[in-house]
Amino acid sequence: MDPSPLSQASKLVLIDNYDSFTWNVYQYLVMEGANVTVYRNDKVTLDEIIDLHPTQLVISPGPGHPDYDAGVSRDAIKHFAGKIPVLGVCMGAQCIFAVFGGQVNSAGEILHGKTSPLQHDSKGLFAGIPQDVPVTRYHSLAGAHPTLPQCLKVSASSKRGKGESTIIMGVRHRTYVVEGVQFHPESILTVEGKTMLKNFLKMKGGTWEEHPPPGQGSERSSQGAGLSNGTTQDEAAVVGSKSAKAGSILEQIYEHRKAAVASQMQIPSQRLSDLQASYELNLAPPLIPFPSRLRDSPYSLSLMAEIKRASPSKGVISLTCCAPAQARTYALAGASVISVLTEPEWFKGSIEDLRAVRQALEGFENRPAVLRKEFIFDEYQILEARLAGADTVLLIVKMLDEDLLRRLYRYSVSLGMEPLVEVNNEAEMSVAVGLGAKVIGVNNRNLTSFDVDLGTTSRVAEMATDAAFICALSGIASSKDVEAYRSNKVGAVLVGEALMRAADPARFVRDLLGGDASSVASEAPREPLLVKVCGIRTVDAAKVAIEAGADLLGMILVKGRSRTVEQDVAIDISRTVHQSHKERPVRQHASPGAASLDYFDHQASLVRSSRRPLLVGVFQDSPLSHIIDQQRELDLDIVQLHGSEPVEWASLIPVPVIRSFTPSRPGLGRRGYHALPLLDAAGGGLGVQLDPSAIEGALQHDAGVRAFLAGGLTAENVKGVLNSLSPTIAGRVVGVDVSSGVEHDGAQSHDKIRAFVAAAKALS
């Protein structure tokens, strides 16, 4: 049975802050008789909402922070408060808190679908609601009670974790008909949630004076009896100094990490002895010197780019972040260091993030150093970081006594990792200087109060010796923030939240640090296509391919194939190729200050810069020893593997390897093994074209992959094949490979070789 329409809720506007729970809110309101229209927070303007003449305004839950991610929500609250009833749910409540002058900070815990008993004042939304009713919470932020605006009162609260302190779960404006709840009344796990929304729909007008809230009685006779300063007892229950709150969070993190690490160290395979055994087997990935890489930057200030999904001060930032993909983006944007948060509860990171980041950077030319950012208090964590691929670790002076700090510092250095030593004030800087730290980070965020003062770094840095490299940490979000650091001892800035929120991190970095960043990857003209002519089996054909401008010449060295070249002829072809010479651009190797270059771009540039065509030997399921013997005897520049050989063989062959893949075969984009992959049909050399959709599927997920394309290519169709691909995917094809397409009656045609090379080169 449809509900009877509510005349006082005939034009309710619901602002959707991009949250799936918005649908639940909508359903509950409609079920109670409201006529609801929903607008995304960035798809409607305030003027458009005003023109609707809404009867009520509801601000939905949503991810992120109300200061950055709420769109029109805050402006709508400002305009309609005092005119019509306003309700904010979760982020909506945070918007109300912020609009009237309060600060939204970490709640001290991150909750996802957990219930808590609710204490409330039995008024407004909570009229007729029992005490200690379970409500569902999905949040990491909340209004900070020390900043509670005078115009708001606490209408509900819940206990924080297992402690005695409480957290604001509801606010009500003292004058306007404005209510906010930090929990989700629309959740199925919230008892009496429908009743709360029904209470809201009963509200009218813009002020309580005109229409007192349901349950209104004597202010002093209610459960939240007034205190002499106008604060109710319920409000007073959550009052605590901001510094005490922050200190509590730090203590929780530190104690939680100590317990978690102690438990982990008892697990077989993860004990300290297990880690030490792995380290002694040389299983730790290669490292680079942290201080020198920190000094190597395309910018006047080096960038330490941070991967951070959440934080105690800002709550959830991005739970969907893919750490290795973000790391590659940062590397190509010119980061000198990539900082990886590995604390799992408050920062939503893990040691696996760090491991994946290090793997993602494998084979990069001039890769960034990798920092494990964690609350480190034991050698175990440092060894764990080294085995996962860290080049350095964070040591926080504030959290370690001097003996422990010195012990951990020395242990880290013994593993080849110069630590980043973090300080926040002059006394801590004195400790770091006395330690002999080569890299010191000054945290602009006070770890007791969580206040940010960007001037902290400049003041504290004055105490450092010239030998120490100084980094500014925390609170940096714009070019204005870094300007002062250019004129003092600061050499690097760490940026986390602002980068994580940036729609285009590379552009954000350029805008942030400015200066001469010409070596940073950006849109550039397409490099000439590399052309490989395969199946060369005569000296004359080799000469024609060389004269035509082919970049690579392939000889089939597979027994029993029609295109297989005889050994004595192969030697003559090798001699011909090695004696050839053609002017080509000299490759510019990475110089100090250059940004990182992805592995496959690096390999492709090596091929392009050769002073002569390169000789490729093509093998299929031959023994490794035979491949190596042939490479030496024929002086092959490149080996091409076209069978089921293990990918790892590429690291055992003394020259670069081109590896053939069908589009569905895994491993195509694995860095550090084959120099370049080649996409071809199964078997190869059969003149079978690949389906463009299969090519797209093979190359679409990894933006850094570069590949050769083979399969039925001819001078007549090579342009059409490449044009059938999307521009993005076509840009990932660095070369084309032809075999049957330059043959006539089973023999190579000199004219077809010339025509194919010309057609392919014309596409560049």
Side-chain angles (χ1 to χ4, degrees):
M1 181 176 177
D2 292 333
S4 300
L6 293 177
S7 58
Q8 73 268 27
S10 59
K11 293 183 180 181
L12 188 150
V13 169
L14 172 58
I15 303 299
D16 174 20
N17 285 304
Y18 285 83
D19 193 274
S20 59
F21 272 108
T22 303
W23 173 244
N24 300 57
V25 175
Y26 171 85
Q27 282 188 310
Y28 273 30
L29 292 170
V30 170
M31 288 169 63
E32 296 302 327
N35 179 29
V36 182
T37 305
V38 184
Y39 295 94
R40 284 277 170 90
N41 67 21
D42 57 350
K43 303 300 183 184
V44 66
T45 66
L46 178 60
D47 286 341
E48 289 171 335
I49 300 174
I50 293 171
D51 289 342
L52 294 171
H53 303 289
T55 52
Q56 289 97 352
L57 176 69
V58 178
I59 309 297
S60 86
H65 195 283
D67 289 350
Y68 318 114
D69 305 301
V72 74
S73 300
R74 292 175 49 138
D75 288 340
I77 294 168
K78 290 178 186 177
H79 177 82
F80 288 106
K83 299 179 176 71
I84 60 174
V86 177
L87 171 65
V89 179
C90 202
M91 180 192 270
Q94 295 166 13
C95 288
I96 291 170
F97 201 90
V99 161
F100 292 107
Q103 293 181 13
V104 175
N105 295 325
S106 168
E109 51 189 345
I110 297 177
L111 295 103
H112 192 79
K114 301 293 181 66
T115 61
S116 298
L118 186 75
Q119 294 80 47
H120 55 80
D121 63 4
S122 300
K123 302 174 189 175
L125 291 180
F126 308 113
I129 304 296
Q131 294 296 327
D132 295 318
V133 64
V135 296
T136 310
R137 299 169 61 186
Y138 288 83
H139 69 106
S140 58
L141 304 176
H145 196 285
T147 70
L148 179 71
Q150 285 292 321
C151 63
L152 298 182
K153 61 190 299 184
V154 175
S155 59
S157 62
S158 286
K159 293 284 182 66
R160 180 185 285 114
K162 297 180 180 179
E164 293 301 317
S165 62
T166 55
I167 185 170
I168 296 175
M169 295 299 291
V171 291
R172 180 181 304 116
H173 199 281
R174 295 180 184 274
T175 304
Y176 303 146
V177 183
V178 175
E179 297 249 17
V181 291
Q182 183 59 67
F183 58 90
H184 287 251
E186 78 285 1
S187 169
I188 193 171
L189 297 179
T190 296
V191 177
E192 301 288 357
K194 288 184 180 179
T195 303
M196 297 177 197
L197 292 177
K198 183 184 293 186
N199 283 339
F200 172 70
L201 293 176
K202 293 177 181 177
M203 298 176 187
K204 300 177 182 179
T207 67
W208 298 122
E209 184 177 3
E210 298 174 86
H211 300 280
Q216 176 69 56
S218 170
E219 182 78 13
R220 291 187 175 273
S221 65
S222 68
Q223 176 184 337
L227 302 178
S228 59
N229 61 357
T231 301
T232 67
Q233 290 174 356
D234 279 335
E235 293 170 14
V238 292
V239 174
S241 72
K242 191 175 180 183
S243 61
K245 169 180 177 253
S248 170
I249 295 172
L250 276 178
E251 290 169 6
Q252 288 180 52
I253 296 174
Y254 192 45
E255 292 303 317
H256 187 277
R257 291 306 292 144
K258 285 196 292 186
V261 171
S263 177
Q264 180 179 321
M265 291 173 69
Q266 304 304 313
I267 300 173
S269 81
Q270 297 188 49
R271 297 166 299 194
L272 179 59
S273 59
D274 298 317
L275 268 57
Q276 186 63 37
S278 295
Y279 182 75
E280 291 171 356
L281 288 172
N282 295 302
L283 299 185
L287 52 69
I288 58 176
F290 172 50
S292 59
R293 183 62 183 91
L294 197 50
R295 289 180 167 85
D296 185 4
S297 173
Y299 305 102
S300 58
L301 287 174
S302 296
L303 173 66
M304 306 171 76
E306 189 156 88
I307 297 172
K308 177 167 62 174
R309 294 191 180 92
S311 75
S313 60
K314 297 296 184 180
V316 171
I317 298 169
S318 175
L319 291 181
T320 60
C321 167
C322 173
Q326 193 82 350
R328 285 182 180 169
T329 299
Y330 288 168
L332 297 176
S336 298
V337 176
I338 295 177
S339 169
V340 185
L341 267 301
T342 62
E343 193 283 323
E345 298 300 326
W346 283 264
F347 293 91
K348 299 302 179 186
S350 73
I351 194 69
E352 291 307 315
D353 280 339
L354 189 143
R355 199 183 316 277
V357 164
R358 178 61 182 84
Q359 290 174 353
L361 300 175
E362 188 67 38
F364 269 55
E365 182 182 18
N366 203 33
R367 74 165 176 85
V370 178
L371 162 68
R372 181 183 191 182
K373 199 171 184 193
E374 171 67 277
F375 296 86
I376 289 179
F377 48 81
D378 194 284
E379 287 88 347
Y380 177 89
Q381 297 165 285
I382 298 174
L383 182 56
E384 181 185 41
R386 180 76 280 278
L387 285 168
D391 300 294
T392 182
V393 296
L394 177 70
L395 298 179
I396 304 173
V397 172
K398 187 177 190 65
M399 301 193 70
L400 304 168
D401 63 58
E402 288 195 39
D403 288 342
L404 179 56
L405 173 65
R406 192 170 300 277
R407 193 180 83 205
L408 296 177
Y409 179 88
R410 289 174 176 170
Y411 180 70
S412 182
V413 170
S414 75
L415 299 183
M417 299 190 295
E418 176 67 32
L420 170 64
V421 178
E422 179 186 307
V423 303
N424 176 249
N425 55 44
E426 289 81 356
E428 292 171 7
M429 175 62 84
S430 179
V431 172
V433 170
L435 187 66
K438 295 179 181 178
V439 183
I440 301 174
V442 182
N443 197 339
N444 292 315
R445 188 183 305 280
N446 185 299
L447 293 182
T448 299
S449 66
F450 281 135
D451 290 335
V452 173
D453 177 1
L454 293 175
T456 303
T457 296
S458 298
R459 292 192 301 273
V460 176
E462 293 301 318
M463 294 183 59
T465 65
D466 292 338
F469 189 93
I470 304 299
C471 312
L473 317 178
S474 292
I476 297 163
S478 69
S479 57
K480 182 179 179 181
D481 295 337
V482 304
E483 200 56 44
Y485 299 143
R486 299 183 191 279
S487 59
N488 53 34
K489 293 183 177 181
V490 178
V493 293
L494 184 143
V495 185
E497 180 192 354
L499 257 178
M500 292 291 293
R501 294 185 185 277
D504 183 346
R507 180 176 296 278
F508 176 86
V509 171
R510 291 194 294 271
D511 293 343
L512 179 77
L513 298 177
D516 180 14
S518 58
S519 62
V520 175
S522 58
E523 294 295 325
R526 178 182 171 87
E527 294 278 6
L529 268 179
L530 296 167
V531 179
K532 176 173 173 280
V533 179
C534 205
I536 296 289
R537 45 196 183 274
T538 67
V539 170
D540 286 344
K543 289 180 178 178
V544 169
I546 293 168
E547 291 168 359
D551 301 286
L552 304 97
L553 279 67
M555 299 188 299
I556 306 299
L557 301 174
V558 182
K559 292 182 180 180
R561 292 294 185 90
S562 60
R563 298 187 180 96
T564 300
V565 63
E566 297 297 329
Q567 190 74 4
D568 57 342
V569 178
I571 292 173
D572 290 340
I573 293 173
S574 176
R575 186 180 299 112
T576 299
V577 173
H578 282 279
Q579 289 175 351
S580 66
H581 180 82
K582 199 164 190 177
E583 288 298 328
R584 295 172 185 268
V586 178
R587 179 179 181 274
Q588 297 298 316
H589 293 275
S591 57
S596 299
L597 187 66
D598 204 340
Y599 174 77
F600 292 118
D601 282 322
H602 168 73
Q603 296 295 332
S605 71
L606 291 177
V607 175
R608 288 194 181 94
S609 63
S610 174
R611 294 282 188 167
R612 59 169 175 79
L614 298 175
L615 184 63
V616 182
V618 181
F619 300 87
Q620 187 174 49
D621 296 324
S622 298
L624 179 61
S625 58
H626 173 71
I627 295 172
I628 293 174
D629 287 344
Q630 285 288 82
Q631 185 277 321
R632 289 171 176 166
E633 185 169 352
L634 300 177
D635 198 10
L636 300 174
D637 299 305
I638 294 175
V639 164
Q640 180 173 319
L641 300 179
H642 219 286
S644 58
E645 304 88 352
V647 170
E648 294 95 320
W649 275 18
S651 61
L652 304 176
I653 295 171
V655 293
V657 169
I658 292 175
R659 184 75 175 78
S660 175
F661 290 86
T662 59
S664 61
R665 183 173 179 176
L668 179 146
R670 189 71 168 89
R671 272 77 164 171
Y673 293 98
H674 43 273
L676 288 165
L678 180 143
L679 276 174
D680 200 356
L686 303 177
V688 178
Q689 285 190 36
L690 292 174
D691 188 314
S693 64
I695 300 170
E696 296 267 350
L699 300 180
Q700 68 179 341
H701 297 296
D702 187 341
V705 169
R706 304 290 180 264
F708 272 89
L709 184 60
L713 298 178
T714 66
E716 292 74 25
N717 70 16
V718 64
K719 179 178 180 180
V721 169
L722 287 175
N723 286 345
S724 71
L725 304 175
S726 67
T728 297
I729 299 302
R732 295 172 190 173
V733 175
V734 295
V736 290
D737 184 310
V738 66
S739 182
S740 62
V742 293
E743 293 180 346
H744 179 71
D745 292 337
Q748 284 191 314
S749 164
H750 294 181
D751 287 341
K752 287 192 172 185
I753 291 174
R754 294 187 187 98
F756 183 84
V757 174
K761 290 295 184 181
L763 299 177
S764 303

PDB file of all heavy atoms in Angstrom, residues 731-751:
ATOM      1  N   GLY A 731      49.364   4.048 -29.452  1.00  0.00           N
ATOM      2  CA  GLY A 731      50.565   4.686 -28.924  1.00  0.00           C
ATOM      3  C   GLY A 731      51.455   3.747 -28.138  1.00  0.00           C
ATOM      4  O   GLY A 731      52.617   4.051 -27.884  1.00  0.00           O
ATOM      5  N   ARG A 732      50.903   2.609 -27.710  1.00  0.00           N
ATOM      6  CA  ARG A 732      51.694   1.628 -26.972  1.00  0.00           C
ATOM      7  C   ARG A 732      52.366   0.612 -27.889  1.00  0.00           C
ATOM      8  O   ARG A 732      53.119  -0.236 -27.419  1.00  0.00           O
ATOM      9  CB  ARG A 732      50.802   0.924 -25.941  1.00  0.00           C
ATOM     10  CG  ARG A 732      50.299   1.887 -24.877  1.00  0.00           C
ATOM     11  CD  ARG A 732      49.262   1.303 -23.928  1.00  0.00           C
ATOM     12  NE  ARG A 732      48.700   2.384 -23.116  1.00  0.00           N
ATOM     13  CZ  ARG A 732      47.688   2.253 -22.278  1.00  0.00           C
ATOM     14  NH1 ARG A 732      47.098   1.075 -22.140  1.00  0.00           N
ATOM     15  NH2 ARG A 732      47.240   3.290 -21.588  1.00  0.00           N
ATOM     16  N   VAL A 733      52.070   0.698 -29.183  1.00  0.00           N
ATOM     17  CA  VAL A 733      52.746  -0.148 -30.177  1.00  0.00           C
ATOM     18  C   VAL A 733      53.983   0.599 -30.646  1.00  0.00           C
ATOM     19  O   VAL A 733      53.886   1.647 -31.286  1.00  0.00           O
ATOM     20  CB  VAL A 733      51.813  -0.462 -31.364  1.00  0.00           C
ATOM     21  CG1 VAL A 733      52.560  -1.244 -32.442  1.00  0.00           C
ATOM     22  CG2 VAL A 733      50.592  -1.242 -30.892  1.00  0.00           C
ATOM     23  N   VAL A 734      55.148   0.085 -30.307  1.00  0.00           N
ATOM     24  CA  VAL A 734      56.398   0.778 -30.647  1.00  0.00           C
ATOM     25  C   VAL A 734      57.035   0.239 -31.908  1.00  0.00           C
ATOM     26  O   VAL A 734      57.963   0.849 -32.446  1.00  0.00           O
ATOM     27  CB  VAL A 734      57.412   0.703 -29.491  1.00  0.00           C
ATOM     28  CG1 VAL A 734      56.901   1.449 -28.277  1.00  0.00           C
ATOM     29  CG2 VAL A 734      57.741  -0.740 -29.135  1.00  0.00           C
ATOM     30  N   GLY A 735      56.572  -0.909 -32.384  1.00  0.00           N
ATOM     31  CA  GLY A 735      57.182  -1.478 -33.572  1.00  0.00           C
ATOM     32  C   GLY A 735      56.279  -2.480 -34.250  1.00  0.00           C
ATOM     33  O   GLY A 735      55.325  -2.994 -33.660  1.00  0.00           O
ATOM     34  N   VAL A 736      56.567  -2.747 -35.522  1.00  0.00           N
ATOM     35  CA  VAL A 736      55.825  -3.743 -36.289  1.00  0.00           C
ATOM     36  C   VAL A 736      56.797  -4.776 -36.822  1.00  0.00           C
ATOM     37  O   VAL A 736      57.961  -4.473 -37.128  1.00  0.00           O
ATOM     38  CB  VAL A 736      55.018  -3.097 -37.436  1.00  0.00           C
ATOM     39  CG1 VAL A 736      53.852  -2.297 -36.871  1.00  0.00           C
ATOM     40  CG2 VAL A 736      55.904  -2.210 -38.302  1.00  0.00           C
ATOM     41  N   ASP A 737      56.313  -6.001 -36.937  1.00  0.00           N
ATOM     42  CA  ASP A 737      57.133  -7.141 -37.343  1.00  0.00           C
ATOM     43  C   ASP A 737      56.471  -7.794 -38.550  1.00  0.00           C
ATOM     44  O   ASP A 737      55.275  -8.124 -38.505  1.00  0.00           O
ATOM     45  CB  ASP A 737      57.227  -8.120 -36.168  1.00  0.00           C
ATOM     46  CG  ASP A 737      58.143  -9.306 -36.446  1.00  0.00           C
ATOM     47  OD1 ASP A 737      57.980  -9.949 -37.499  1.00  0.00           O
ATOM     48  OD2 ASP A 737      58.993  -9.602 -35.598  1.00  0.00           O
ATOM     49  N   VAL A 738      57.220  -7.980 -39.613  1.00  0.00           N
ATOM     50  CA  VAL A 738      56.664  -8.569 -40.824  1.00  0.00           C
ATOM     51  C   VAL A 738      57.473  -9.792 -41.228  1.00  0.00           C
ATOM     52  O   VAL A 738      58.689  -9.829 -41.083  1.00  0.00           O
ATOM     53  CB  VAL A 738      56.642  -7.544 -41.985  1.00  0.00           C
ATOM     54  CG1 VAL A 738      58.053  -7.158 -42.408  1.00  0.00           C
ATOM     55  CG2 VAL A 738      55.827  -8.054 -43.166  1.00  0.00           C
ATOM     56  N   SER A 739      56.763 -10.797 -41.741  1.00  0.00           N
ATOM     57  CA  SER A 739      57.428 -12.001 -42.248  1.00  0.00           C
ATOM     58  C   SER A 739      56.760 -12.427 -43.550  1.00  0.00           C
ATOM     59  O   SER A 739      57.254 -12.142 -44.639  1.00  0.00           O
ATOM     60  CB  SER A 739      57.377 -13.117 -41.212  1.00  0.00           C
ATOM     61  OG  SER A 739      58.051 -14.270 -41.678  1.00  0.00           O
ATOM     62  N   SER A 740      55.597 -13.075 -43.450  1.00  0.00           N
ATOM     63  CA  SER A 740      54.914 -13.527 -44.662  1.00  0.00           C
ATOM     64  C   SER A 740      54.488 -12.363 -45.536  1.00  0.00           C
ATOM     65  O   SER A 740      54.337 -12.507 -46.759  1.00  0.00           O
ATOM     66  CB  SER A 740      53.694 -14.374 -44.292  1.00  0.00           C
ATOM     67  OG  SER A 740      52.758 -13.599 -43.556  1.00  0.00           O
ATOM     68  N   GLY A 741      54.312 -11.184 -44.959  1.00  0.00           N
ATOM     69  CA  GLY A 741      53.849 -10.018 -45.709  1.00  0.00           C
ATOM     70  C   GLY A 741      54.850  -9.463 -46.683  1.00  0.00           C
ATOM     71  O   GLY A 741      54.522  -8.560 -47.464  1.00  0.00           O
ATOM     72  N   VAL A 742      56.100  -9.936 -46.660  1.00  0.00           N
ATOM     73  CA  VAL A 742      57.106  -9.478 -47.633  1.00  0.00           C
ATOM     74  C   VAL A 742      57.590 -10.652 -48.475  1.00  0.00           C
ATOM     75  O   VAL A 742      58.708 -10.633 -49.001  1.00  0.00           O
ATOM     76  CB  VAL A 742      58.291  -8.782 -46.930  1.00  0.00           C
ATOM     77  CG1 VAL A 742      57.834  -7.482 -46.293  1.00  0.00           C
ATOM     78  CG2 VAL A 742      58.932  -9.680 -45.876  1.00  0.00           C
ATOM     79  N   GLU A 743      56.747 -11.660 -48.576  1.00  0.00           N
ATOM     80  CA  GLU A 743      57.118 -12.838 -49.366  1.00  0.00           C
ATOM     81  C   GLU A 743      56.253 -12.967 -50.610  1.00  0.00           C
ATOM     82  O   GLU A 743      55.096 -12.503 -50.642  1.00  0.00           O
ATOM     83  CB  GLU A 743      56.984 -14.099 -48.515  1.00  0.00           C
ATOM     84  CG  GLU A 743      57.988 -14.173 -47.383  1.00  0.00           C
ATOM     85  CD  GLU A 743      57.857 -15.428 -46.536  1.00  0.00           C
ATOM     86  OE1 GLU A 743      56.815 -16.114 -46.652  1.00  0.00           O
ATOM     87  OE2 GLU A 743      58.782 -15.716 -45.767  1.00  0.00           O
ATOM     88  N   HIS A 744      56.798 -13.639 -51.624  1.00  0.00           N
ATOM     89  CA  HIS A 744      56.071 -13.958 -52.852  1.00  0.00           C
ATOM     90  C   HIS A 744      56.468 -15.359 -53.276  1.00  0.00           C
ATOM     91  O   HIS A 744      57.662 -15.650 -53.472  1.00  0.00           O
ATOM     92  CB  HIS A 744      56.405 -12.956 -53.962  1.00  0.00           C
ATOM     93  CG  HIS A 744      55.692 -13.255 -55.261  1.00  0.00           C
ATOM     94  ND1 HIS A 744      54.347 -13.061 -55.410  1.00  0.00           N
ATOM     95  CD2 HIS A 744      56.166 -13.740 -56.457  1.00  0.00           C
ATOM     96  CE1 HIS A 744      53.998 -13.408 -56.632  1.00  0.00           C
ATOM     97  NE2 HIS A 744      55.095 -13.827 -57.304  1.00  0.00           N
ATOM     98  N   ASP A 745      55.480 -16.245 -53.371  1.00  0.00           N
ATOM     99  CA  ASP A 745      55.732 -17.639 -53.724  1.00  0.00           C
ATOM    100  C   ASP A 745      56.767 -18.284 -52.801  1.00  0.00           C
ATOM    101  O   ASP A 745      57.656 -19.026 -53.253  1.00  0.00           O
ATOM    102  CB  ASP A 745      56.182 -17.753 -55.181  1.00  0.00           C
ATOM    103  CG  ASP A 745      55.067 -17.411 -56.158  1.00  0.00           C
ATOM    104  OD1 ASP A 745      53.885 -17.513 -55.756  1.00  0.00           O
ATOM    105  OD2 ASP A 745      55.382 -17.009 -57.301  1.00  0.00           O
ATOM    106  N   GLY A 746      56.688 -17.961 -51.509  1.00  0.00           N
ATOM    107  CA  GLY A 746      57.550 -18.603 -50.532  1.00  0.00           C
ATOM    108  C   GLY A 746      58.928 -18.001 -50.390  1.00  0.00           C
ATOM    109  O   GLY A 746      59.723 -18.450 -49.549  1.00  0.00           O
ATOM    110  N   ALA A 747      59.251 -16.993 -51.183  1.00  0.00           N
ATOM    111  CA  ALA A 747      60.568 -16.348 -51.096  1.00  0.00           C
ATOM    112  C   ALA A 747      60.379 -14.875 -50.760  1.00  0.00           C
ATOM    113  O   ALA A 747      59.343 -14.269 -51.074  1.00  0.00           O
ATOM    114  CB  ALA A 747      61.324 -16.501 -52.408  1.00  0.00           C
ATOM    115  N   GLN A 748      61.388 -14.292 -50.108  1.00  0.00           N
ATOM    116  CA  GLN A 748      61.294 -12.878 -49.774  1.00  0.00           C
ATOM    117  C   GLN A 748      61.421 -12.024 -51.027  1.00  0.00           C
ATOM    118  O   GLN A 748      62.299 -12.235 -51.864  1.00  0.00           O
ATOM    119  CB  GLN A 748      62.365 -12.490 -48.755  1.00  0.00           C
ATOM    120  CG  GLN A 748      62.038 -12.964 -47.345  1.00  0.00           C
ATOM    121  CD  GLN A 748      62.950 -12.352 -46.301  1.00  0.00           C
ATOM    122  OE1 GLN A 748      64.159 -12.311 -46.490  1.00  0.00           O
ATOM    123  NE2 GLN A 748      62.379 -11.914 -45.198  1.00  0.00           N
ATOM    124  N   SER A 749      60.516 -11.059 -51.117  1.00  0.00           N
ATOM    125  CA  SER A 749      60.501 -10.131 -52.240  1.00  0.00           C
ATOM    126  C   SER A 749      61.196  -8.845 -51.832  1.00  0.00           C
ATOM    127  O   SER A 749      60.800  -8.199 -50.855  1.00  0.00           O
ATOM    128  CB  SER A 749      59.060  -9.837 -52.653  1.00  0.00           C
ATOM    129  OG  SER A 749      58.992  -8.689 -53.469  1.00  0.00           O
ATOM    130  N   HIS A 750      62.207  -8.476 -52.592  1.00  0.00           N
ATOM    131  CA  HIS A 750      62.942  -7.246 -52.268  1.00  0.00           C
ATOM    132  C   HIS A 750      62.030  -6.028 -52.376  1.00  0.00           C
ATOM    133  O   HIS A 750      62.103  -5.102 -51.550  1.00  0.00           O
ATOM    134  CB  HIS A 750      64.148  -7.102 -53.189  1.00  0.00           C
ATOM    135  CG  HIS A 750      65.181  -8.161 -52.964  1.00  0.00           C
ATOM    136  ND1 HIS A 750      66.370  -8.208 -53.672  1.00  0.00           N
ATOM    137  CD2 HIS A 750      65.222  -9.215 -52.107  1.00  0.00           C
ATOM    138  CE1 HIS A 750      67.083  -9.252 -53.254  1.00  0.00           C
ATOM    139  NE2 HIS A 750      66.402  -9.877 -52.317  1.00  0.00           N
ATOM    140  N   ASP A 751      61.177  -6.031 -53.366  1.00  0.00           N
ATOM    141  CA  ASP A 751      60.271  -4.889 -53.531  1.00  0.00           C
ATOM    142  C   ASP A 751      59.286  -4.796 -52.368  1.00  0.00           C
ATOM    143  O   ASP A 751      58.966  -3.699 -51.889  1.00  0.00           O
ATOM    144  CB  ASP A 751      59.504  -5.024 -54.851  1.00  0.00           C
ATOM    145  CG  ASP A 751      60.385  -4.758 -56.063  1.00  0.00           C
ATOM    146  OD1 ASP A 751      61.448  -4.136 -55.889  1.00  0.00           O
ATOM    147  OD2 ASP A 751      60.009  -5.184 -57.166  1.00  0.00           O
TER     148      ASP A 751
END
